[in-house]
Amino acid sequence: MSGPLFDRIALIGLGLIGSSIALAARRGTLAREIAGTSRSPATRARAGELGFLDHVADTAAGAVKDADLVIIGVPVRATGAVVREIAPHLKKGAIVSDAGSVKASVVRDVEPLLPDGVSFVGGHPIAGTEESGPDAGFAELFDGRWCVLTPAAKSTPEAVEKLCQFWTALGSRVETMSAAHHDLVLAITSHVPHLIAYNIVGTVSELETDTKSEVIKFSASGFRDFTRIAASDPVMWRDIFLSNKDAVLEMLGRFTEDLTALQRAIRRDDGQALLEMFTRTRAIRRGVIEAGQDTQEPDFGRTRGLHDADDH
Ligand code: NAP
């Protein structure tokens, strides 16, 4: 029988994504040893207590020593600084990847910092929850979910293939595309929807106290689901919007035009326009279900409060 896919994996960042990768990699025996680190002593100590790593290093430089695969799971705009720190300590032949929700800016930040003989392949598991930190991780997070890899100038075909095998073994379905295309697609499937959730929940937070408590009391699935999404990590989402500025603004422009058309249809009692729009959107929903991205069950079959899968 062949051995694990990697001898040593290093995880930089031990939040929801880093801890879930460790747990899923352990489940599949994908490495002989999994090391990791996080910037704060508190997160490192908690990771030690939870025991999902073989070795908790004090520094990123220490964590990547002898690692064949390094995966960075920190807020997108912190990725460059992490790579600057680990670059001199990377083993020749190592594969470096990340889990960031935006890809073009990460590739742009990381590639110039890498030493020769090290491959970088951007990655984005399209799976997550609104929870963060090492306690939030679970081994099943990536099961049946997409992971997008974005090969670029510093990606060797062998590294892409190996990473593809890794994410498949973590439970994901893998697709490769350019970083720019990834960012455009995610802008409309994930980033703009999050902005809308932040905005609608923000609007409620500005309402006068009486109305606000009624909204909270009667929040049915619509508003309640927005509050769940708007509870996502503020730093992570600040970084996503600022790093994917062009694609988000492009999609937001289209969204605003369509919203104005809906506004006009309501003002003019144009029921036909509303019916046409709402019929087209039902077809999209059917497409999502047929693609295996959701189910017909109430609450999308989710166990409330547990692992609400989300597309970040
Ligand atoms: P998380 O649970 O909030 O964990 C963040 C990790 O990054 C922690 O280890 C934290 O360290 C570290 N960190 C924060 N700021 C840092 C900085 N300035 N420099 C170095 N390290 C820093 O986040 P996550 O949900 O795992 O997300 C990690 C990455 O995956 C992000 O790029 C995100 O876009 C992407 N992603 C997230 C999801 C999701 O649903 N959450 C899904 C797909 C991809 P300390 O705790 O020690 O401060």
Side-chain angles (χ1 to χ4, degrees):
M1 200 184 93
S2 58
L5 205 51
F6 291 98
D7 190 47
R8 194 165 202 261
I9 295 177
L11 301 168
I12 313 299
L14 302 175
L16 168 71
I17 297 294
S19 59
S20 295
I21 292 174
L23 289 162
R26 268 211 173 154
R27 181 187 66 178
T29 325
L30 305 184
R32 191 186 51 77
E33 189 186 25
I34 306 176
T37 194
S38 192
R39 79 179 158 167
S40 73
T43 302
R44 295 198 296 272
R46 186 65 188 138
E49 283 162 18
L50 292 168
F52 53 77
L53 296 174
D54 300 304
H55 171 58
V56 182
D58 288 339
T59 61
V64 303
K65 191 171 177 298
D66 298 325
D68 312 288
L69 172 67
V70 177
I71 300 190
I72 302 165
V74 304
V76 173
R77 294 207 302 172
T79 310
V82 166
V83 173
R84 188 170 283 110
E85 186 186 344
I86 63 174
H89 307 278
L90 291 168
K91 177 171 132 176
K92 206 165 177 69
I95 300 170
V96 178
S97 188
D98 75 313
S101 308
V102 180
K103 298 273 52 90
S105 67
V106 167
V107 173
R108 200 170 48 236
D109 290 349
V110 166
E111 283 194 338
L113 302 171
L114 288 175
D116 288 343
V118 168
S119 220
F120 177 74
V121 187
H124 177 202
I126 305 184
T129 75
E130 70 280 19
E131 307 291 338
S132 35
D135 285 274
F138 54 102
E140 302 78 21
L141 178 63
F142 310 112
D143 287 348
R145 312 292 300 219
W146 286 105
C147 178
V148 177
L149 300 181
T150 60
K154 292 236 171 170
S155 314
T156 62
E158 297 74 30
V160 177
E161 174 55 30
K162 198 104 191 258
L163 206 57
C164 187
Q165 285 174 22
F166 179 71
W167 278 103
T168 304
L170 290 183
S172 291
R173 295 185 280 169
V174 181
E175 183 129 334
T176 54
M177 63 180 74
S178 75
H181 187 65
H182 165 277
D183 290 356
L184 200 62
V185 172
L186 268 289
I188 193 62
T189 57
S190 168
H191 306 168
V192 169
H194 273 77
L195 200 68
I196 293 165
Y198 279 122
N199 191 47
I200 195 166
V201 178
T203 303
V204 167
S205 74
E206 299 281 314
L207 293 175
E208 68 245 39
T209 317
D210 279 2
T211 320
K212 192 172 11 185
S213 55
E214 298 288 85
V215 171
I216 290 167
K217 183 169 157 193
F218 296 121
S219 65
S221 58
F223 182 69
R224 191 186 57 197
D225 280 355
F226 279 126
T227 61
R228 182 175 67 75
I229 294 169
S232 302
D233 187 68
V235 172
M236 171 178 144
W237 280 95
R238 176 203 64 190
D239 280 16
I240 288 173
F241 291 120
L242 297 182
S243 305
N244 200 20
K245 189 188 273 186
D246 292 346
V248 167
L249 291 179
E250 159 68 20
M251 290 303 175
L252 210 50
R254 291 173 187 233
F255 173 83
T256 312
E257 283 169 23
D258 293 342
L259 191 62
T260 305
L262 283 175
Q263 207 174 352
R264 194 176 52 233
I266 294 169
R267 180 175 298 118
R268 294 181 178 176
D269 286 319
D270 187 351
Q272 190 54 33
L274 295 178
L275 276 180
E276 276 168 21
M277 164 73 142
F278 300 164
T279 306
R280 260 190 294 135
T281 54
R282 281 190 132 181
I284 296 272
R285 171 73 189 149
R286 272 198 300 277
V288 168
I289 293 165
E290 276 160 24
Q293 291 294 297
D294 218 328
T295 77
Q296 290 280 26
E297 295 163 52
D299 282 338
F300 310 148
R302 290 170 181 142
T303 313
R304 308 280 339 155
L306 261 181
H307 303 144
D308 278 357
D310 214 340
D311 287 350
H312 291 161

